[in-house]
Amino acid sequence: MLLKRWKGWELPERAVTPESLFRNRRSLLKGLAAGPMVLSAAALTGCGDEATADGDPASMIAAVPPDPSAHLYPVKRNPAYADGGPDRPITVEDLATSYNNFYEFGSHKDIVRAAQDLKIRPWTVTLDGEVAKPKTIDIDDLLEQMPLEERVYRLRCVEAWSMVVPWSGFPLAALVKLAEPLSSAKYVRMETFMDPEMARGQKQHWYPWPYIEGLTIEEATNDLAFIATGIYGKPMPRQNGAPLRLAVPWKYGFKSTKSIVRFTFTSERPVSFWEELQASEYGFWANVNPDVPHPRWSQASERPLGGGAKVPTLLYNGYAEQVAGLYKGLEGERLFM
Ligand SMILES: Nc1nc2c(c(=O)[nH]1)N[C@H]1C(S)=C(S)[C@@H](COP(=O)(O)O)O[C@H]1N2
Ligand SMILES: [Mo]
């Protein structure tokens, strides 16, 4: 058994009382109105608890229909993003594809089996809002058009675990170009599918489904912003966000939204899923910074998946050179939370 049972973080039940959570939270109040419920602090530990992922992903997905995009992979690795950096080896594939965060399929890390219910075809991607002309594109047509490449990126979850994975996909900038946003559009809002029958986590009505994330257009067109359609030289597994998910490695993992169906270009800053739920802990910018602790734990170091020693967390997760310039003039914003 490769997978290891992690020790919990300092997230005791007493850290967040249900009472304090209920106070200002619209979505929670909606939930309350619909009937009594018990909400544990674990349901609000940001992006998940520290439950272990049990089982071998291959055996859990054996019966699932093959991915029709399989013939496209592997793709050529971009030498500019060839590795995870010094002392940051690529994470073992079985770990990266079995220790997952995907609340649509459960608020713990062991969602591989449940996520096999995700129906990945037909799948369309809508580009709308402040664009020259709204479009809806079939995922396979999109994959044909986009310049696929492989990039090795670090991913730092806000809960202080991390991984290094080879994503396949294309720059988000290529999709923005295809969308032809108007100059009035300042943000891109990304939306995950909504289907509570398929993804039973979406029946948990105290969460503000569907999962939403957003970036500024400058962030979205920075070369690092990537749409991942595969991982480890294969199509994206359902549990990792098939058929397409975001990879923005300088931000905490919750920004890297999965299984996207819509990109909306807008002049208004989108309110993301976690921000809606708990803005004091999960802001819009969410850039990685070891010197800005989460209100309930330190962000100074991280635990690479696979065990071993903790490693120091880096400003912008080590990508400052590419992205720090995006935040000039925004020093008054909560850039790191
Ligand atoms: N739609 C959706 N996207 C999501 C999440 C989620 O619950 N739903 N979890 C996020 C969090 S908190 C993290 S850390 C990463 C985890 O990606 P992985 O399972 O591929 O490691 O996905 C992000 N994208
Ligand atoms: Mo996360």
Side-chain angles (χ1 to χ4, degrees):
M1 192 66 201
L2 274 169
L3 307 181
K4 177 172 169 225
R5 187 171 292 273
W6 302 107
K7 250 180 61 209
W9 305 114
E10 267 136 35
L11 296 179
E13 302 282 316
R14 65 181 178 278
V16 184
T17 65
E19 288 79 3
S20 72
L21 291 169
F22 286 131
R23 225 174 294 134
N24 319 312
R25 208 83 40 61
R26 257 189 306 133
S27 46
L28 291 172
L29 288 170
K30 259 189 273 162
L32 252 191
M37 65 168 175
V38 179
L39 181 70
S40 75
L44 285 154
T45 55
C47 45
D49 60 27
E50 278 291 301
T52 199
D54 271 320
D56 150 38
S59 70
M60 284 186 273
I61 63 182
V64 174
D67 189 309
S69 70
H71 64 282
L72 297 173
Y73 305 96
V75 291
K76 202 167 163 282
R77 185 169 294 180
N78 179 337
Y81 305 104
D83 58 45
D87 304 319
R88 299 299 307 275
I90 290 181
T91 301
V92 171
E93 179 179 348
D94 272 359
L95 273 175
T97 58
S98 68
Y99 183 87
N100 298 103
N101 190 303
F102 204 166
Y103 269 58
E104 284 82 344
F105 295 103
S107 54
H108 47 79
K109 293 296 186 288
D110 193 7
I111 55 80
V112 175
R113 196 183 298 270
Q116 302 320 302
D117 288 343
L118 175 61
K119 203 168 155 256
I120 57 169
R121 293 293 187 285
W123 191 280
T124 59
V125 176
T126 296
L127 309 173
D128 66 4
E130 298 175 26
V131 295
K133 188 169 178 278
K135 302 181 180 69
T136 293
I137 309 166
D138 181 80
I139 183 68
D140 294 302
D141 294 339
L142 184 68
L143 291 172
E144 287 298 331
Q145 287 177 47
M146 289 289 131
L148 296 183
E149 60 179 58
E150 183 178 71
R151 296 181 179 197
V152 179
Y153 278 172
R154 297 183 287 277
L155 182 147
R156 169 57 157 84
C157 173
V158 72
E159 295 174 279
W161 58 267
S162 65
M163 62 180 186
V164 179
V165 296
W167 300 116
S168 307
F170 53 87
L172 177 53
L175 193 71
V176 172
K177 190 166 172 225
L178 183 69
E180 299 182 82
L182 305 177
S183 60
S184 57
K186 302 289 181 249
Y187 300 92
V188 55
R189 174 187 183 275
M190 286 153 280
E191 189 178 314
T192 296
F193 70 84
M194 182 67 190
D195 185 344
E197 291 309 317
M198 179 176 80
R200 303 188 58 86
Q202 292 184 329
K203 292 192 170 178
Q204 297 185 308
H205 46 73
W206 53 92
Y207 291 112
W209 306 113
Y211 200 99
I212 300 295
E213 261 308 337
L215 296 171
T216 65
I217 301 286
E218 289 71 33
E219 290 177 322
T221 53
N222 182 277
D223 189 52
L224 261 190
F226 198 64
I227 293 292
T229 59
I231 191 172
Y232 295 93
K234 296 168 204 161
M236 190 67 73
R238 288 162 175 80
Q239 63 271 24
N240 293 91
L244 76 168
R245 55 97 48 91
L246 186 64
V248 280
W250 72 100
K251 292 179 177 285
Y252 289 115
F254 66 84
K255 296 289 295 185
S256 288
T257 184
K258 294 177 168 181
S259 305
I260 305 170
V261 294
R262 184 184 300 272
F263 295 80
T264 302
F265 294 81
T266 162
S267 52
E268 269 168 54
R269 185 187 293 185
V271 179
S272 47
F273 179 85
W274 285 107
E275 188 184 9
E276 170 91 33
L277 209 48
Q278 199 149 354
S280 61
E281 300 195 350
Y282 311 102
F284 171 77
W285 298 101
N287 296 309
V288 175
N289 187 336
D291 297 329
V292 179
H294 183 276
R296 290 181 282 134
W297 60 87
S298 164
Q299 296 292 27
S301 63
E302 63 203 55
R303 205 181 289 263
L305 281 192
K310 280 193 178 181
V311 297
T313 289
L314 304 171
L315 181 61
Y316 293 108
N317 200 21
Y319 297 100
E321 205 180 303
Q322 287 102 309
V323 298
L326 291 168
Y327 306 102
K328 292 247 164 64
L330 292 173
E331 291 79 5
E333 299 269 335
R334 287 165 68 220
L335 291 174
F336 303 106
M337 194 173 282

